[in-house]
Amino acid sequence: MNYQRQRQPGCGGCLLIALLIVFISGGAPSLINFLGTLLYTGIAGIILLVAIFWGFSYWMQKKVATYEQSQSESRNRFVWLLVHVLMHTAKIDGRITKDEIQTIHRFFQYNLHYNQTQMLWVKEIIKEATSSSPSLDSLLEEFKSTFAYEPRLILLELVFQILYTKKDVPEDELQIARRIAAYLAISAYDQRTIEARFKYGRQYTTAPGRDTVDRHYATLGLNKGASMEEIKKAYRKLSMKYHPDKVRHLGEEFQKIAEEKMKEINGAYEYFKKK
């Protein structure tokens, strides 16, 4: 027989020993009083823990509700629709993995710089979208009828940005993103521009020293070899579409996305001007 260490007695053994000591020293009445005290303190402890948990949950919900009420209705609806559309994109294969949820969390936390209260708000929307969500078509129809062209461009930008956080973007997910673009009446030119920007942007970051011409053409939605007149025309069109003032009502974070897009557009235009 192999030697085995004896396991230390658990809490049950300690409690049994304590009960025996109380019974021997004070008899049955002392034992009953002791059990009553244990029961009372145990219930009181449970009630206290429940109260603390409920109080903390109530405080956090109050913070989220106060934050949501402080924002404009259009901005709240924009984020709500955005999260639901992203969740539909995530569950193309019929299920939503923890990695996909974490990708959406990271997107709001690091790309949009959401604080703790804003993240709690987003997580509540994600929870709602996970349990039950309107169809993708109905979400897109509301988005199209509620928001102008520029916010729709921002939505498509964010959909492609989420997709390209993956190492290998499945073709079926890209097809869904293109379908979203078509449903939102995004022009083929703008859809190609947005998709190409993320595609070439990844190639540029993963291959340092690569010629940046393709990336700049893609930013302006042009084919390689476009004339300077075509470049100027594309620059003017994109500058009007992505002007930050056009999405000011959606909140500071989405205005910054437009600003970043404008920086890329300006950078591409300056590149061709110097060249």
Side-chain angles (χ1 to χ4, degrees):
M1 181 181 293
N2 294 329
Y3 174 77
Q4 291 182 341
R5 291 180 178 272
Q6 296 295 317
R7 289 182 297 177
Q8 295 291 331
C11 292
C14 296
L15 180 60
L16 181 60
I17 293 170
L19 291 175
L20 286 173
I21 292 172
V22 171
F23 179 75
I24 293 171
S25 61
S30 296
L31 180 61
I32 293 172
N33 290 335
F34 181 70
L35 289 173
T37 303
L38 282 179
L39 182 63
Y40 174 78
T41 54
I43 293 174
I46 292 172
I47 293 173
L48 180 62
L49 288 174
V50 170
I52 292 172
F53 177 77
W54 181 86
F56 180 75
S57 299
Y58 175 81
W59 178 71
M60 294 306 294
Q61 289 173 2
K62 182 88 172 168
K63 280 188 68 176
V64 171
T66 302
Y67 166 76
E68 190 173 10
Q69 290 168 7
S70 69
Q71 305 302 308
S72 67
E73 181 62 31
S74 61
R75 179 185 178 280
N76 289 341
R77 198 61 186 165
F78 183 88
V79 175
W80 189 92
L81 287 167
L82 171 62
V83 171
H84 278 260
V85 170
L86 293 179
M87 290 295 286
H88 269 284
T89 306
K91 58 184 177 185
I92 290 171
D93 56 0
R95 62 192 182 92
I96 301 175
T97 65
K98 287 184 178 179
D99 287 342
E100 287 170 328
I101 296 292
Q102 286 301 315
T103 297
I104 296 175
H105 285 178
R106 286 193 296 270
F107 172 74
F108 279 93
Q109 189 171 2
Y110 298 113
N111 293 76
L112 300 186
H113 307 291
Y114 271 26
N115 59 32
Q116 184 183 25
T117 301
Q118 291 171 310
M119 285 305 301
L120 287 170
W121 177 47
V122 168
K123 288 175 183 178
E124 286 297 318
I125 301 174
I126 289 174
K127 190 187 301 181
E128 178 188 345
T130 303
S131 58
S132 63
S133 179
S135 68
L136 181 59
D137 287 353
S138 64
L139 291 168
L140 295 176
E141 182 60 37
E142 180 182 351
F143 206 99
K144 181 180 175 182
S145 62
T146 305
F147 296 101
Y149 192 77
E150 291 77 16
R152 282 183 258 153
L153 282 177
I154 293 293
L155 171 65
L156 192 63
E157 285 267 345
L158 298 179
V159 168
F160 274 107
Q161 189 169 336
I162 281 286
L163 290 181
Y164 275 93
T165 57
K166 300 176 182 179
K167 185 177 180 181
D168 297 306
V169 186
E171 182 61 28
D172 57 348
E173 294 189 19
L174 288 174
Q175 289 298 335
I176 289 290
R178 292 163 190 156
R179 178 188 161 205
I180 290 172
Y183 208 109
L184 294 176
I186 303 294
S187 70
Y189 168 83
D190 288 333
Q191 180 261 311
R192 287 196 307 270
T193 301
I194 292 171
E195 184 174 352
R197 184 167 67 87
F198 286 103
K199 179 181 178 181
Y200 285 112
R202 168 178 287 187
Q203 291 176 354
Y204 178 73
T205 54
T206 55
R210 178 188 175 91
D211 189 359
T212 60
V213 175
D214 288 349
R215 183 167 62 93
H216 288 313
Y217 276 122
T219 297
L220 297 175
L222 298 171
N223 294 321
K224 194 171 182 179
S227 67
M228 195 60 204
E229 187 58 35
E230 290 173 316
I231 290 171
K232 288 179 181 179
K233 185 177 178 181
Y235 171 72
R236 285 194 294 268
K237 285 175 61 178
L238 290 171
S239 296
M240 291 177 63
K241 289 175 182 175
Y242 284 96
H243 196 285
D245 287 346
K246 293 193 174 184
V247 293
R248 185 186 297 274
H249 61 291
L250 299 180
E252 183 181 353
E253 68 271 33
F254 299 108
Q255 194 173 356
K256 286 181 178 178
I257 289 175
E259 289 172 357
E260 289 299 319
K261 176 65 177 176
M262 279 302 303
K263 287 180 183 177
E264 292 181 7
I265 294 168
N266 288 331
Y269 182 60
E270 289 299 321
Y271 173 85
F272 289 117
K273 275 180 65 178
K274 291 177 181 177
K275 189 176 180 181

